[in-house]
């Protein structure tokens, strides 16, 4: 497809379960970002990659969160031992470069509900 | 630290009215960029406009216009002759000069009534 694709669109997890969220960026885009959006809030930065290198993971809320992009294209955000406070929409974005003025293209997000 | 504040939580207007969305930002960067994104019910964030810190010229693009004032750290966004399809959550965002990592405000829900 032409846009950023995320799967699954919806995920319900039992507390304590591990989940993996997938992001397919726009082909050729160097940069990939993950954001977390709680209900009624703006997206908050989690981490970003330039190709396969994870350059900033300062936004990951705990060591239960892990992201990878091994071949510089598809990325996976993994959450271990999910907790109720992890319930949110996880947005992925990609852009052709990391310049400050470059717009990011967002996917539709994965809505994670932890019960 | 960087911060974006959108004081308006919800705005309701009638179709064809003009509406202005407010945004105030904080940053210590001398070079930075400001963005407006739209989030319709489908969920994806759609880029609308961008402004850099060294160009305060205000512009109009179709029904959209923006007013950037460094003196008050504000970047307000106006939709002229609003339409029902404009109903969405609008986010103001800030990036520093080094990367396009975005700091978002909390969003303004715009409801345009027919």
């Amino acid at each position: 497809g032409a846009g950023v694709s995320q799967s699954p669109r919806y995920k319900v997890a039992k507390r304590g379960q591990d989940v993996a969220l997938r992001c397919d960026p726009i082909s050729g885009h160097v940069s990939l970002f993950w954001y977390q959006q709680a209900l009624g809030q703006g997206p908050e930065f989690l981490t970003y990659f330039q190709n396969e290198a994870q350059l900033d993971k300062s936004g990951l809320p705990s060591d239960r969160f892990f992201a990878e992009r091994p071949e510089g294209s598809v990325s996976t955000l993994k959450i271990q031992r999910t907790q109720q406070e992890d319930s949110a929409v996880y947005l992925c974005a990609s852009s052709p470069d990391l310049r400050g003025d470059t717009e990011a293209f967002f996917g539709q997000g994965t809505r994670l509900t932890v019960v | 630290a960087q911060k974006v504040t959108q004081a308006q939580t919800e705005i309701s207007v009638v179709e064809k009215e003009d509406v202005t969305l407010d945004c105030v930002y904080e940053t210590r960067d001398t070079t930075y960029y400001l963005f407006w994104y739209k989030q319709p019910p489908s969920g994806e964030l759609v880029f609308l406009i961008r402004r850099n810190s060294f160009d305060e010229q205000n512009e109009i693009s179709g029904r959209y216009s923006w007013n950037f004032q460094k003196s008050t750290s504000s970047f307000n966004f106006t939709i002229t002759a609003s339409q029902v399809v404009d109903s969405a959550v609008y986010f103001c965002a800030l990036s520093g000069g080094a990367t396009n990592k975005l700091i978002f405000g909390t969003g303004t829900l715009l409801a345009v009534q027919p």
Side-chain angles (χ1 to χ4, degrees), chain A residues 9 31 33 35 37 40-45 48 56 58 89 91 95 97-109, chain B residues 32-35 37 39 41-47 50 52 89 91 95-107:
Chain A
R9 287 293 315 278
S31 307
F33 298 79
Y35 291 86
Q37 186 175 19
Q41 300 297 314
E44 293 192 357
F45 169 79
Y48 78 80
D56 186 344
S58 62
V89 174
L91 293 165
S95 64
D97 56 57
L98 271 176
R99 285 171 37 191
D101 63 343
T102 301
E103 70 180 269
F105 296 81
F106 284 81
Q108 292 184 302
Chain B
Y32 54 89
Y33 303 90
L34 294 160
F35 299 79
Y37 279 85
Q39 188 174 43
S42 55
E44 80 277 17
L45 285 152
V46 178
F47 167 80
R50 163 186 45 232
N52 62 53
V89 181
F91 290 98
S95 72
T99 75
N100 55 348
K101 163 184 164 182
L102 293 168
I103 306 299
F104 286 89
T106 50

Side-chain angles (χ1 to χ4, degrees), chain A residues 1-68:
Chain A
V4 177
S5 178
Q6 292 188 245
S7 60
R9 287 293 315 278
Y10 303 92
K11 176 69 178 178
V12 178
K14 292 184 178 179
R15 190 170 52 184
Q17 186 179 353
D18 296 349
V19 299
L21 312 180
R22 177 187 169 103
C23 173
D24 270 286
I26 293 173
S27 178
H29 276 194
V30 167
S31 307
L32 186 145
F33 298 79
W34 284 99
Y35 291 86
Q36 179 190 59
Q37 186 175 19
L39 187 64
Q41 300 297 314
E44 293 192 357
F45 169 79
L46 293 177
T47 184
Y48 78 80
F49 294 83
Q50 182 173 12
N51 296 308
E52 68 278 5
Q54 189 175 18
L55 299 185
D56 186 344
K57 53 182 180 179
S58 62
L60 296 177
S62 77
D63 58 8
R64 296 186 297 103
F65 286 71
F66 172 77
E68 59 183 6

